[in-house]
Amino acid sequence: MGAECHVLETFLRAGHMCVTSLADYWELGTGCGPLLEWMEQLWLLVVLAVLCLLALLLALRVWLVLRQGVECRPGRKGCVSLMVVAGSGGHTTEILRLLSSLSKSYSPTHYVLAETDKMSEDKIHLFENTRTSGVYKSTYSIHRIPRSREVRQSWSSSFLTTLQSMLYSFPLTARLQPDLVLCNGPGTCVPACFSAFLLGVFGIKKIIIIYVESICRVETLSLSGRLLYYISDYFIVQWPQLQTKYPKSIYLGRIV
Amino acid sequence: MGKTVFVTVGTTSFDDLISCVSAKETVRILKGLGYNRLILQIGRGTIEPAPCCTSDFLLEFFRYKDSLVEDIKSADLVISHAGAGSCLETLGEGKPLIVVINEQLMSNHQIELAKQLYKDGHLYYCTCSTIGNTLQTMNLSALKNFSPGKPENFAAFLDKVVGMK
């Protein structure tokens, strides 16, 4: 925020100098005070208009990226690369159940885990090894980013740790450039999905974001779900009660 | 051959559950119901129950295993934390399940799933303080079978939205 204020101040000062030097150039006397004031106000208006325009353009871009998801069909090229956000315990079990039914065209799979999560890694290796059969060899990789939120961590400090986690997840997502991000609610999926979304906003790559709310959410969405409801391209819930509450969501029955 | 109870706390810890299940009073109730083996998965909990092996009762614990499927399969009753993974795995194996709610978790959402599955007649749920009562009043034969979820529906949906042929 401080930096933005500084930029604005510099703009206004430049406007003031510009106006006064123009006044000097036209050799306007001290009698033209009201005119100078008017020109300064005009400058301020121009600055504000430019800022509004930028905000509007950004909003338009965000809206376009959100709409793009529905038309994006990466499957037409034959294979779809996945970024899967696995979380502690139950989340990983659930997401592996979902992956188990996908065809071999979904490859390679890049798993993103919270740094402190050892158990998920073992589960993933076990899962991928059982998937490898005959000629078919599954290709996958595991990446780690700092945990964005521990169980029981307060909302305000979660915000800071999520930002910190973004510093790692954004370059990672930009490097992997998956076609699709699949996640089901661990804290780590918030920075991962926002990174994927930003790549779309910056025009680097439109990544489809698919959020599957955990089966343990029957009446209310998780914090991650509430945040990602707005930026996900497909938001899937597993209980009809939730579908009624969140009209954008999709209900396919129990899928894990 | 007696019956086995398997207790699981999942990835993290649930000390209250371990201490209330391994308490003398609970063990007495379990014995009364014909259970003579109590196996506990305690995660990273700080409470380690005293292993006991008498002629009529065996208590063992471990922290983690790659897979709990074998323990679930060989159990006659599973007592679990409310984690979706443990619940679904147990119900998937067709084993009777009691879910114990951890009241100390922030915004205790896990209770939602347990309550819904209880409403649908698939399991019993309780807290650490009411587990004795639940064990004594439950009727395991009244529990309904749980049909597994259909990940293939998700796969079909995904194929459609990414344009996979």
Side-chain angles (χ1 to χ4, degrees), chain A residues 93-132:
Chain A
T93 312
E94 275 194 49
I95 208 123
L96 293 181
R97 268 184 202 241
L98 290 178
L99 290 179
S100 68
S101 68
L102 296 187
S103 74
K104 284 160 190 166
S105 309
Y106 293 87
S107 179
T109 310
H110 306 287
Y111 293 93
V112 177
L113 304 182
E115 228 159 36
T116 49
D117 188 356
K118 177 79 184 83
M119 206 167 192
S120 294
E121 183 168 345
D122 297 341
K123 279 189 185 172
I124 290 165
H125 286 310
L126 196 72
F127 169 74
E128 287 288 347
N129 289 339
T130 53
R131 240 179 154 195
T132 303

Side-chain angles (χ1 to χ4, degrees), chain A residues 72-76 78-80 88-90 93-94 97-98 100-103 105-106 119 122-123 126 149 151-155 180 182 208 210 212 214-220 234 236 239 241 250 252 254-256, chain B residues 10-13 41 44 64-67 82-86 88-89 92 102 104-107 109-110 112-114 116-117 119-120 122 146-155 157-165:
Chain A
C72 192
R73 296 273 185 276
R76 288 201 181 124
C79 63
V80 173
S88 47
T93 312
E94 275 194 49
R97 268 184 202 241
L98 290 178
S100 68
S101 68
L102 296 187
S103 74
S105 309
Y106 293 87
M119 206 167 192
D122 297 341
K123 279 189 185 172
L126 196 72
R149 184 167 169 260
V151 175
R152 278 174 243 193
Q153 192 181 331
S154 77
W155 308 134
L180 204 144
L182 177 63
I208 301 180
I210 299 193
V212 180
S214 166
I215 190 146
C216 40
R217 291 299 180 156
V218 182
E219 303 283 348
T220 59
Y234 301 98
I236 301 172
W239 294 97
Q241 298 96 304
I250 299 159
L252 303 167
R254 200 152 35 76
I255 52 176
V256 300
Chain B
T11 324
T12 54
S13 64
Q41 182 261 323
R44 58 169 181 232
Y64 294 109
K65 273 185 194 173
D66 279 345
S67 166
S86 307
L88 298 174
E89 210 167 353
N102 190 349
Q104 286 173 2
L105 281 185
M106 177 164 84
S107 69
H109 69 264
Q110 294 200 323
E112 281 181 22
L113 179 70
Q116 183 65 39
L117 292 172
K119 241 190 257 172
D120 296 344
H122 299 300
F146 182 77
S147 60
K150 295 191 172 69
E152 60 271 23
N153 288 353
F154 171 72
F157 169 80
L158 203 58
D159 283 350
K160 201 178 78 196
V161 301
V162 301
M164 193 80 80
K165 280 160 213 118

Side-chain angles (χ1 to χ4, degrees), chain A residues 76-94:
Chain A
R76 288 201 181 124
K77 64 180 162 59
C79 63
V80 173
S81 63
L82 289 178
M83 186 161 114
V84 175
V85 188
S88 47
H91 285 301
T92 308
T93 312
E94 275 194 49

